[in-house]
Amino acid sequence: MAKHTVTMTINGESVTAEVDSRLLLVHFIRENLDMTGTHIGCDTSSCGACTILIDGKSVKSCTYLAVRADGANITTIEGIAADGTNHPLQQAFHDQHGLHCGFCTPGMIMRAIDLLETNPNPTEEEIRWGISGNLCRCTGYNNIVKSVQQAAKEMAKEKEATV
């Protein structure tokens, strides 16, 4: 199998590695970098447990080749807290009980980050549509929606405070 040298920025740190042509990005992140917050749920991009941000956009990493990420800026769940403080979405999921078993939570949070970047004040319907590609087998999504709503309000306050 052909090998390729790739360089990418993951959670603010430059990473260079030699990877097989067929290595999926989720496996590179989990196995080569020991970042296990990105979960593997289905290997078909159906569940969204593997969602990360590539150049600011949510991507399901279980069907994305590592060689394709050469030169990309990648953020995983491990990279969203700042100075030991939870990201507003992490805090909101905690406050609103937006998780049960927690398996879908990292991917759900990463998808919601992208959603709130493109739509900082989404309606309930827009949130439900925005996270529809991420599955949760434990909840009825109500507390996940409440979590995204809380985070949207908190992020808007933070943005106002910096203006």
Side-chain angles (χ1 to χ4, degrees):
M1 187 173 301
K3 298 268 189 182
H4 302 274
T5 301
V6 295
T7 301
M8 57 193 82
T9 302
I10 300 184
N11 300 329
E13 293 189 30
S14 180
V15 174
T16 299
E18 193 170 284
V19 298
D20 289 330
S21 299
R22 296 184 193 174
L23 181 66
L24 294 171
L25 186 54
V26 69
H27 295 295
F28 177 73
I29 291 167
R30 290 180 59 83
E31 296 165 15
N32 295 48
L33 302 179
D34 293 323
M35 294 182 185
T36 57
T38 302
H39 293 161
I40 301 170
C42 67
D43 279 331
T44 62
S45 75
S46 297
C47 75
C50 65
T51 303
I52 60 173
L53 300 178
I54 299 179
D55 297 325
K57 299 295 178 193
S58 61
V59 172
K60 295 176 182 177
S61 62
C62 73
T63 55
Y64 199 96
L65 294 172
V67 294
R68 198 169 156 211
D70 189 30
N73 184 11
I74 297 171
T75 306
T76 68
I77 193 72
E78 291 91 347
I80 64 170
D83 301 321
T85 302
N86 281 342
H87 184 280
L89 272 158
Q90 290 173 307
Q91 189 60 49
F93 267 71
H94 176 268
D95 294 348
Q96 298 295 329
H97 308 286
L99 60 121
H100 284 223
C101 79
F103 191 80
C104 72
T105 305
M108 195 73 73
I109 288 174
M110 300 309 288
R111 175 62 197 123
I113 288 172
D114 185 11
L115 171 66
L116 294 178
E117 283 295 318
T118 58
N119 183 356
N121 189 26
T123 65
E124 179 179 339
E125 182 180 353
E126 290 169 330
I127 293 169
R128 288 183 183 278
W129 181 252
I131 63 171
S132 65
N134 291 65
L135 302 178
C136 177
R137 294 172 177 96
C138 300
T139 71
Y141 296 91
N142 290 332
N143 289 349
I144 293 171
V145 171
K146 289 178 187 176
S147 300
V148 176
Q149 289 171 325
Q150 176 184 318
K153 290 176 187 168
E154 184 60 35
M155 292 167 75
K157 285 182 196 174
E158 289 177 5
K159 193 171 185 175
E160 284 179 21
T162 61
V163 174

